């Protein structure tokens, strides 16, 4: 069994980013370093860089999320970026969507422990919950899948004129180019690459932004959403 490295102290930037929620951010980092490693949610080698590479890298995504919107974090895993985003943005209503039970158990424990009343944990795959969850303004994701595949899961969860914000690394530009045709078919009307976290993380976090028009997911998904909505209404009437 590999022994986890020691969690380093929180950097000064973390106090500035998390503000009143700094102690909760520290507790979350401790949970990742302990329970997260024990349950195989993160690798032990990630512990020394939890703050810079994970918590702060995700928290700065808040710079490009509009105020007071509904967010769905697809493939939330151990809660990245959803939990850091929730800690810095209590104005958001966030759903952490994750298919694996051991991960949703961990997420539920974290949400309850930190008192994140504006966060809901849902177990399921994106394609399974379409029509069952209300459409959201913003879909977030990090290290889930290549952009073209991620888009087929995330974009159909959006409301008209919503946006998907995917944290990516050095491959962002290449992925965006290769996914151009798929994104267009899914109803994307504008794409861009944004750098966030200046003065907080180095290198800055790279975000691929995909904005959709009035038919997120395209015509095929619009039909599936309508069918799911009709089924939901029929069940509620019973």
């Amino acid at each position: 069994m590999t022994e986890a490295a020691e969690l380093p102290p929180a950097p000064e930037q973390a106090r500035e980013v998390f503000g009143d929620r700094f102690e909760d951010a520290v507790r979350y980092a401790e949970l990742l370093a302990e329970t997260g490693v024990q349950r195989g949610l993160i690798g032990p080698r990630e512990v020394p860089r939890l703050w810079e590479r994970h918590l702060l890298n995700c928290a700065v995504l808040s710079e490009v999320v509009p105020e007071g919107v509904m967010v769905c974090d697809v493939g939330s895993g151990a809660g990245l970026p959803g939990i850091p985003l929730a800690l810095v943005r209590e104005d958001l209503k966030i759903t952490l969507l994750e298919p694996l039970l051991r991960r949703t158990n961990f997420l539920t424990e974290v949400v309850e422990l930190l008192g994140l009343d504006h966060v809901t944990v849902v177990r399921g795959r994106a394609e399974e919950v379409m029509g069952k969850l209300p459409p959201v303004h913003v879909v977030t994701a990090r290290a889930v899948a290549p952009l073209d595949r991620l888009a087929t899961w995330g974009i159909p969860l959006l409301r008209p004129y919503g946006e998907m914000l995917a944290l990516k690394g050095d491959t962002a530009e290449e992925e965006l180019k290769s996914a151009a045709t798929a994104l267009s078919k899914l109803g994307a009307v504008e794409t861009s690459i944004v750098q966030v976290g200046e003065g907080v993380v180095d290198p800055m976090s790279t975000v691929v932004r995909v904005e959709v028009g009035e038919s997120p997911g395209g015509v095929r998904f619009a039909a599936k959403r309508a069918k799911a909505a009709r089924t939901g209404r029929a069940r509620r009437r019973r």
Side-chain angles (χ1 to χ4, degrees):
M1 180 176 179
T2 304
E3 184 178 347
E6 185 177 351
L7 177 69
E12 193 60 35
Q13 296 96 317
R15 291 185 178 274
E16 300 171 8
V17 170
F18 290 103
D20 293 341
R21 284 282 196 170
F22 171 70
E23 295 300 331
D24 289 327
V26 171
R27 186 66 187 119
Y28 176 51
E30 292 171 347
L31 287 167
L32 287 173
E34 299 163 6
T35 309
V37 171
Q38 292 167 6
R39 298 186 189 178
L41 303 181
I42 67 164
R45 292 182 180 179
E46 295 303 310
V47 173
R49 50 186 186 177
L50 268 178
W51 284 106
E52 288 82 1
R53 183 179 175 84
H54 297 288
L55 273 76
L56 288 173
N57 177 274
C58 290
V60 296
L61 181 63
S62 64
E63 295 178 17
V64 288
V65 177
E67 291 185 11
V69 299
M70 296 174 64
V71 177
C72 183
D73 188 32
V74 172
S76 197
L80 301 165
I83 297 293
L85 182 61
L87 288 170
V88 298
R89 294 288 301 276
E90 294 189 45
D91 60 299
L92 304 174
K93 186 174 181 181
I94 301 177
T95 296
L96 306 179
L97 182 61
E98 168 56 47
L100 295 185
L101 180 60
R102 63 188 172 91
R103 293 176 180 171
T104 54
N105 285 342
F106 176 76
L107 293 173
T108 300
E109 291 166 15
V110 171
V111 167
E112 292 177 355
L113 182 65
L114 302 185
L116 298 174
D117 298 333
H118 57 305
V119 177
T120 302
V121 178
V122 174
R123 184 185 176 197
R125 300 182 185 279
E127 57 269 34
E128 297 170 345
V129 302
M130 188 180 66
K132 299 177 183 178
L133 295 180
V136 297
H137 302 81
V138 175
V139 162
T140 59
R142 177 179 187 257
V144 174
L147 188 61
D148 54 351
R149 198 186 322 158
L150 173 63
T152 65
W153 300 334
I155 287 181
L157 300 177
L158 291 169
R159 60 183 292 170
Y161 307 105
E163 59 185 337
M164 184 175 73
L165 301 173
L167 280 162
K168 290 288 183 179
D170 297 336
T171 62
E173 188 171 347
E174 181 182 338
E175 284 192 50
L176 190 54
K177 287 181 180 178
S178 63
T181 300
L183 292 175
S184 179
K185 290 180 179 178
L186 288 166
V189 295
E190 188 169 343
T191 61
S192 57
I193 296 176
V194 185
Q195 300 289 326
V196 294
E198 184 176 5
V200 177
V201 288
D202 185 19
M204 291 192 292
S205 299
T206 301
V207 181
V208 175
R209 172 185 261 156
V210 179
E211 301 173 62
V212 300
E214 61 182 14
S215 299
V219 176
R220 182 164 62 93
F221 283 99
K224 290 180 69 174
R225 266 196 306 274
K227 181 179 179 180
R230 288 195 300 271
T231 302
R233 286 195 297 268
R235 286 175 179 168
R236 288 193 292 270
R237 285 197 296 267
R238 292 173 184 172

